[in-house]
Structures are given as C-alpha cells and as structure tokens.
Amino acid sequence: MAQRLQLLLSIIFFLNLIRFSSQQGLSFVYNGFNQDKGYIHLDGVARIHNTDGLLQLTDDTTLQKGHAFFNRPFDFGSDQPLSFSTHFVCALVPKPGAGDGGHGTAFVLSSSMDLTQADPTQYLGLLNMSSNGNQILAVELDTVKTAEFDDMDNNHVGVDENSLHSVVSASASYYSDREGTNKSLTLLSGDPIHVWIDYEGTLLNVTLAPLIIDEKPSKPLLSRNINLTSIFPARKAFVGFSASTGTLVSYQYILGWSFSTSSNSLKSLDVSKLPTVPHPKMIPKKTSPPLIILMVILALIVMAVLGGVCEYRRRKYAEVKEPWEKPYGPLRYSYKSLYKATGGFSKDGRLGKGGFGEVYKGTMPLGGDIAVKRLSHGAEQGMKQFVAEVVTMGSLQHKNLVPLLGYCRRKGELLLVSKYMEGGSVDQYLFQDDKPPLSWSQRLAILRDIASALCYLHTGASQVVLHRDIKASNVMLNGNLQGFLGDFGMARFDDNLSATAAVGTIGYMALELTSTGTSTRTDVYAFGAFMLEVACGRRPFDPEMPVEKRHLVKWVCECWRKGSLVDAMDTRLRGKFPLGVVETVLKLGLLCTCIVPDSRPTMEQVVQFINRHQTLPDFSPDTPGIGVSTPVLTRIHSLAITSTSETSSPSVSSSSANNSMFISHTIIYGDGR
C-alpha cells in the first residue's frame, strides 16, 4: 500500500514538473529567421526571405493578410504567477509613390493559429465583421484611421481584447531618457522600430523606441491591467504576428523576435545581426505606344507655343541698330527697359498726345522717373541726321531746359527719353480747372526761366538751335513750379520737311514761316505769343471766342489803344499784380509778335527787358506791324488746310486739353507735337 501511494505521488510530481517546465521553458530568440524556421508557422502572403531571414508579413498586394506564429503554445499553468516578455524589431515601409499605406501590424496572442476566417483591411487579419473567431489579445501598430473602431489617428498603438475597439491607445511615441520627454515616432516611415511588451501579474506595458536607441526607455507608452485567464479560459495561447493590406498597401517586416515567459530570462536581440530593411524603388510603368505618340504631339505643341512666345517677345522688344549708332551707345536705351519702365506704355501712364506721338511716364530702377515720347516714323530717310541732332540736343546744358536723356529706335518708331517733370505743363495751370491758378509772381518767374533757356539755345550753345514750337504745353514745371523748356527741335523729325516749310502751332507762328522758313526771329514771335498767353490766361488763337477777341495779339493791342491794357489780363489774378511790370510784359509780348521780323528784339534783348535791366523802345498800338495777327488761312500753294471734320486726312489730331493748331505741311487741330 505504501509503495502504491509513493508511486502515485511520484506521478503527480512529474506531471506538475512537466506542466511547470512547459510554462517556464517557452523562450526563444530570432536574430533574423534563417535558423529554426520549422518553429514558425506562416500563412497568407507571409514569407521568410531565404537570403537574410527577413520575415515579411505583407507586400504590395491589395486586400491581403499574413500571419506568423511560433508553433508551440504558451501554456499559462495554474501554480505560478502569469508573466511573459517579448521584444521584436519591425519595419513598416510605404509603397513608393503611394503616400499613405496600410493597414498595420499586430503582435497577437491567439487561442489558435488558424485565422483564415479573419478579414484583411482594417481588421488586421485578426477578426472579421461579425467579430466571430478565436480569442485574441493584440497590440496593434495601426497606420490607418478607422472611424468604425474610433481610432484616434493614423499613427497609433492600441491594445485589443477580442475586438478592434482598443481598450487603450496612444499616438506612437517614445520616452527619451536623455531629454526627459516623449518624442513622436512615425510608424509608416520604413525605419526599424523596437517594440517591448511586458506582462506581469495583470499589468501589460507596451514600450517603443527607434532602432538607434540602444536601451529600452524607462517609461512605457501604454499600461493596462489585463486578465489573460478571462480572455483565454483554456489557459494557453499561441504568440505571433498578424498584418493586412486594403486598398492601401505597405511592406510590413519583422526583423528579429525574442520571447520568454519570464522577463528575467528574455534574451536580447543582437541588432548587428538583424537583416536590413529593403526599400523598393518606384518602377516606371511601361508607356503604351499611343501614349508615347500623344506625348510627342504634346511636346511638339509645347515647343511650338514656346517658340511662338519667344518670337513674340523678340518682336515685342525688337530694335533697329546700325553701325553708325555705336558712338551714341551710352545714350541709347533698350526698348525692353522702356517698356517695363512705362508698364507696357499703359494708358494710365500716358501724359499727353500730340501730332507726332504720345508721351508716357516711366520709372527706371536706378534712374528715377522719366518721360518717354513715342514718335511715329514711316521712313528711314534722314534718320541718321536726326539721331545725331537728338544726341546733340542731349548735350545741351541749361538749368531751364528739360534734360534729354537718350533715345531708342525701332522700325517705324523713335522713342525719346527725357527727365520727368512732376509739375506738369503750364497750359494745365492756365486752362484746366483741376490745377490752381498761377499767381503773377509765379507767371513772371516762368517767363524769365523760358526766356533764359531760349536765349541759351540762340546764343549760348555751340551752334544755333531753333526750338520751332514754343507754347504753353511745351513749357514744363518741376515741383517748385520752375519753368523748363522742352520738346525743342522736334519738328525736324518730319522727313519731308524742306528748309522753308511751315512748322509750328497756329497763334505762335510768324507770317514769314511760309516764305522764308524758320529763324531765331520766328522763335521770338512764338515766345511773344507765349508771354501774352501766360499773362492773359488765353490761347493765342481761340475760334470759340467772339471775333474781336479771337486773336489774342489783336485783342491786347486793342485794349492798349483804348487805354486799358490791364483789361486783357487773366481775370483769375483778380487784379493782384504790379501795373508797371504787367504793362512791360504785355508790351514786350506785342513787340515780339510784331509782324515785321526785323522789328522784333533778339532773345538777349528780351531777357534784358523782362528782367527790367533795359527799358522798352518807344512804340505804340499804331506802330506798323504791332497788333497784327497772323492769318489763319493762307493761299500759298505749298500749304494745305485741314480741319477736324476732314477725317480722311492722316494728319488730323485733336485734344480737349488744347484747341490750338499745329502746322507742318498741313494745318491740324490738336496738341501739336
């Protein structure tokens, strides 16, 4: 009887020893899976690479799942405290060009290795839509945010108990012991990641870190009390991995894995022996012949469009340059620079329009504000002489001449660049309501400025320069309302002009222009008309006035004859002017507009008279040639008459800002030049 009892006790002891050893003896380590492959059970698309032992759970196939289990179960036993520890290195690699990837990898304890009833996609190959299947405990590394399972984001770690609704989750991160703070970690980066899972008693800890971190962080990412025996009533489970893809795919790898039923006996992974993570390159798709033909056609169209754009830009900025212009290089502007400076010669920047062209305001990057005059030129004859004259004009230096900075030449067009005068022209102050009226002192200062400039052109330059078109619209003002004479010599631009052709604006033109041509005396006549215009605030010839007042010269002389010379003065002055000075200016204007050329003073004398350094000679309203207006209509055969109603004439140009008339070979109403 005693022998039987001893035998029974021995059998019970050995059975407990076997059960205890089965719990304590489950311990393994894989630094790559190229050894002891027989213990790894694979299904789905999971496979082990023969070359380096890399365990691949999924590839770039959609709607697939892969499993890898250690084929010996983990027996919980009943007499010892329940515990296990595992450490693995995984890598989730996105498909090149795909952006996002899915769906994720999970470390799993399962009651069975048969998960064929589980679904891929968001179910991670663990469960299916009905949640039927094996008992599972999983730690998921999820890279897709699934609203069905209340996922927090597309980069989180969660603990699942028989459901994909995580009982606890957190965005992927790790604790940096060196910095003393949590640092974010991207699961779907393609970089290897350490994962430690420790279970002791009922507490489950999950810790992550990048591969470059040698030591396990001191603080876990997740902690949760879990009752394994309630999840697995049979008190045993298989351990392994599960991963899946959906319409989103990624390559999911396990590089190494260590497991033990005791944290103290968990063997360390040798990082140096782990296989490297492959990073697939994007394979270019084979292009079909129709697509190639289409691409070639599109390329030809693009090339044609680009060629057209280049040709358009070349023509847009094209210039005419000839060898004889080389000496004038420093004074030549590129058309492209002028085009950009004026905003493409926009209408908003247009300052005025005349018989010869339009004037635009521009701003050079380094040269400040400029005025650009575009002159039409239909023939090349005389261009060389004209450009030489323009350059000569640019060399003139006087404080009351608008500086001519340079030129640019294109086919059929010449552009003249001068300094921009911010005050505008005198006629704007005389005839436009948006400008304040000039005081008498300002008008007198302007007359003195222009007399000085014209005197310089006649006597101070290296050769005599005739202006040919002195009038209020060609007298510019700066910000301090100082007068500057501009637009000089421009009448010569007309290639068809002869030495005796009439050039100028009606009211400013001496009668002898039609017979003997221009001279310093004709410039004096025009300046006299300008003096009367500034003093009286009226144009030299105004067809809208009554007949007796239509010609300003005649009207001023008539006021003098009646003994009331000041009645001709601008009413906007309201009598605020010195009578003696005013009478001198008006009489000097009549003297300069004398119809007898030899009776007119020179500009040197004009300067002396207007500055009252000399007294005027004795003359009266009845002196021959005084107060005689130049006829508007003449019967000289070389002069044709054109009015604004004759739309067939190409010489007609009109402007609301100036009703005077400009003459070259025809009479036209407009701004003149």
Side-chain angles (χ1 to χ4, degrees):
M1 182 70 181
Q3 292 179 342
R4 291 181 179 179
L5 180 61
Q6 185 178 4
L7 178 62
L8 180 60
L9 290 174
S10 298
I11 292 173
I12 293 173
F13 173 77
F14 279 110
L15 288 175
N16 288 331
L17 181 63
I18 293 172
R19 183 172 60 184
F20 177 77
S21 64
S22 67
Q23 176 185 352
Q24 298 299 323
L26 188 59
S27 178
F28 55 82
V29 61
Y30 284 94
N31 293 301
F33 294 84
N34 47 7
Q35 80 280 353
D36 296 333
K37 297 180 183 179
Y39 289 102
I40 303 299
H41 171 79
L42 303 175
D43 67 24
V45 295
R47 67 186 183 93
I48 296 176
H49 293 201
N50 293 326
T51 55
D52 55 3
L54 179 66
L55 173 57
Q56 180 174 348
L57 297 175
T58 62
D59 53 24
D60 61 353
T61 309
T62 59
L63 301 174
Q64 296 295 323
K65 56 189 177 183
H67 304 107
F69 284 98
F70 192 77
N71 62 8
R72 287 179 56 190
F74 167 32
D75 193 341
F76 299 167
S78 59
D79 297 332
Q80 297 294 329
L82 185 57
S83 68
F84 72 85
S85 292
T86 187
H87 172 207
F88 60 91
V89 175
C90 64
L92 282 64
V93 182
K95 182 179 179 181
D100 296 331
H103 271 258
T105 298
F107 172 78
V108 57
L109 279 73
S110 174
S111 59
S112 171
M113 292 187 296
D114 183 11
L115 297 179
T116 56
Q117 300 301 315
D119 291 333
T121 64
Q122 66 264 34
Y123 296 97
L124 300 178
L126 298 172
L127 299 170
N128 53 36
M129 294 181 63
S130 62
S131 296
N132 295 326
N134 300 317
Q135 291 82 34
I136 65 163
L137 172 69
V139 177
E140 64 176 34
L141 309 179
D142 200 342
T143 59
V144 176
K145 182 178 180 180
T146 305
E148 177 184 353
F149 300 135
D150 300 321
D151 287 346
M152 60 190 308
D153 55 33
N154 62 351
N155 185 56
H156 65 272
V157 181
V159 177
D160 305 331
E161 297 181 21
N162 293 325
S163 169
L164 273 301
H165 287 274
S166 298
V167 295
V168 62
S169 63
S171 295
S173 65
Y174 70 97
Y175 181 77
S176 172
D177 290 289
R178 182 171 63 87
E179 299 181 18
T181 183
N182 276 346
K183 303 190 71 174
S184 61
L185 192 65
T186 302
L187 299 176
L188 192 64
S189 64
D191 297 327
I193 299 173
H194 287 291
V195 181
W196 292 271
I197 303 173
D198 301 294
Y199 184 81
E200 186 73 38
T202 60
L203 182 63
L204 180 73
N205 290 327
V206 180
T207 308
L208 271 67
L211 188 64
I212 59 174
I213 302 296
D214 296 329
E215 299 293 331
K216 176 182 176 182
S218 60
K219 294 183 179 181
L221 174 64
L222 295 175
S223 294
R224 176 75 178 186
N225 285 314
I226 301 290
N227 188 347
L228 275 183
T229 56
S230 65
I231 300 175
F232 302 101
R235 305 185 67 82
K236 69 176 181 177
F238 292 91
V239 294
F241 302 94
S242 178
S244 69
T245 63
T247 55
L248 300 174
V249 300
S250 58
Y251 301 86
Q252 304 181 70
Y253 302 102
I254 305 297
L255 284 68
W257 181 23
S258 177
F259 182 89
S260 177
T261 53
S262 172
S263 60
N264 294 328
S265 60
L266 180 69
K267 297 179 180 180
S268 298
L269 292 175
D270 188 346
V271 175
S272 64
K273 295 181 180 180
L274 297 180
T276 58
V277 179
H279 291 272
K281 297 180 179 179
M282 183 179 295
I283 301 176
K285 295 182 179 179
K286 187 176 180 180
T287 308
S288 62
L291 183 58
I292 293 176
I293 295 173
L294 179 60
M295 292 174 65
V296 170
I297 294 174
L298 289 176
L300 292 175
I301 292 175
V302 170
M303 291 176 63
V305 171
L306 290 177
V309 171
C310 291
E311 178 63 17
Y312 167 76
R313 288 178 62 87
R314 187 189 68 81
R315 293 189 179 186
K316 181 178 180 180
Y317 300 125
E319 301 176 24
V320 176
K321 293 183 179 180
E322 297 186 54
W324 56 263
E325 295 183 74
K326 287 185 179 180
Y328 313 135
L331 295 172
R332 176 155 186 156
Y333 286 78
S334 70
Y335 181 75
K336 185 175 183 179
S337 66
L338 297 181
Y339 187 89
K340 291 184 176 180
T342 58
F345 296 100
S346 66
K347 292 183 179 180
D348 294 337
R350 192 170 73 174
L351 300 175
K353 181 178 180 181
F356 270 128
E358 298 174 321
V359 183
Y360 296 86
K361 180 185 177 183
T363 302
M364 299 297 286
L366 300 177
D369 292 337
I370 59 172
V372 182
K373 188 163 190 174
R374 302 182 73 179
L375 308 175
S376 300
H377 183 260
E380 294 301 317
Q381 181 182 1
M383 176 56 70
K384 182 175 181 179
Q385 177 184 355
F386 179 75
V387 170
E389 182 179 332
V390 168
V391 173
T392 301
M393 296 298 177
S395 66
L396 297 175
Q397 299 293 328
H398 189 275
K399 65 182 182 69
N400 296 115
L401 289 178
V402 176
L404 186 61
L405 304 178
Y407 77 102
C408 175
R409 193 159 71 92
R410 306 182 76 205
K411 185 176 181 180
E413 189 176 33
L414 181 70
L415 296 96
L416 302 178
V417 184
S418 61
K419 183 180 178 181
Y420 171 71
M421 308 304 292
E422 62 271 28
S425 59
V426 170
D427 68 329
Q428 294 174 339
Y429 291 86
L430 295 178
F431 307 116
Q432 294 182 14
D433 295 333
D434 59 341
K435 296 283 189 180
L438 297 169
S439 67
W440 173 250
S441 60
Q442 291 171 332
R443 299 185 195 209
L444 182 60
I446 292 169
L447 292 175
R448 287 172 173 169
D449 290 338
I450 303 309
S452 176
L454 191 56
C455 180
Y456 167 78
L457 293 180
H458 287 183
T459 62
S462 58
Q463 60 183 12
V464 176
V465 179
L466 302 180
H467 190 282
R468 304 186 179 206
D469 197 20
I470 301 164
K471 58 183 177 182
S473 60
N474 285 339
V475 174
M476 312 305 295
L477 303 175
N478 64 7
N480 297 323
L481 298 182
Q482 291 177 295
F484 292 81
L485 184 59
D487 214 8
F488 44 87
M490 294 302 102
R492 291 189 182 183
F493 184 73
D494 192 330
D495 294 330
N496 298 317
L497 286 178
S498 65
T500 60
V503 180
T505 304
I506 288 296
Y508 301 89
M509 296 173 62
L511 182 61
E512 71 270 15
L513 274 172
T514 58
S515 56
T516 62
T518 56
S519 66
T520 57
R521 300 290 185 178
T522 57
D523 271 357
V524 171
Y525 184 96
F527 180 75
F530 170 67
M531 291 181 69
L532 297 179
E533 182 178 19
V534 172
C536 302
R538 281 186 44 193
R539 302 188 189 281
F541 175 73
D542 190 348
E544 297 182 1
M545 296 292 288
V547 176
E548 66 275 9
K549 296 183 179 181
R550 189 168 297 175
H551 296 274
L552 182 57
V553 172
K554 187 176 179 180
W555 165 247
V556 173
C557 187
E558 187 63 28
C559 290
W560 186 14
R561 183 175 287 110
K562 294 179 180 179
S564 56
L565 186 57
V566 294
D567 288 347
M569 290 295 291
D570 191 346
T571 56
R572 292 185 298 173
L573 290 173
R574 299 180 181 180
K576 296 180 180 180
F577 45 77
L579 294 178
V581 178
V582 165
E583 289 184 355
T584 298
V585 170
L586 293 176
K587 290 178 181 180
L588 181 56
L590 291 175
L591 185 60
C592 290
T593 56
C594 180
I595 201 170
V596 181
D598 292 338
S599 297
R600 300 171 198 152
T602 65
M603 284 309 302
E604 288 180 303
Q605 292 174 318
V606 170
V607 171
Q608 295 296 317
F609 294 147
I610 200 169
N611 288 306
R612 308 193 76 181
H613 295 159
Q614 292 184 14
T615 58
L616 291 175
D618 291 333
F619 67 100
S620 69
D622 299 321
T623 300
I626 297 297
V628 180
S629 59
T630 302
V632 177
L633 303 179
T634 179
R635 296 188 180 276
I636 295 178
H637 294 295
S638 64
L639 190 63
I641 302 172
T642 307
S643 69
T644 54
S645 62
E646 296 178 282
T647 58
S648 61
S649 171
S651 300
V652 176
S653 174
S654 63
S655 170
S656 59
N658 191 343
N659 293 321
S660 62
M661 295 175 290
F662 175 80
I663 291 182
S664 59
H665 280 284
T666 59
I667 299 176
I668 62 175
Y669 290 91
D671 285 335
R673 295 176 290 104

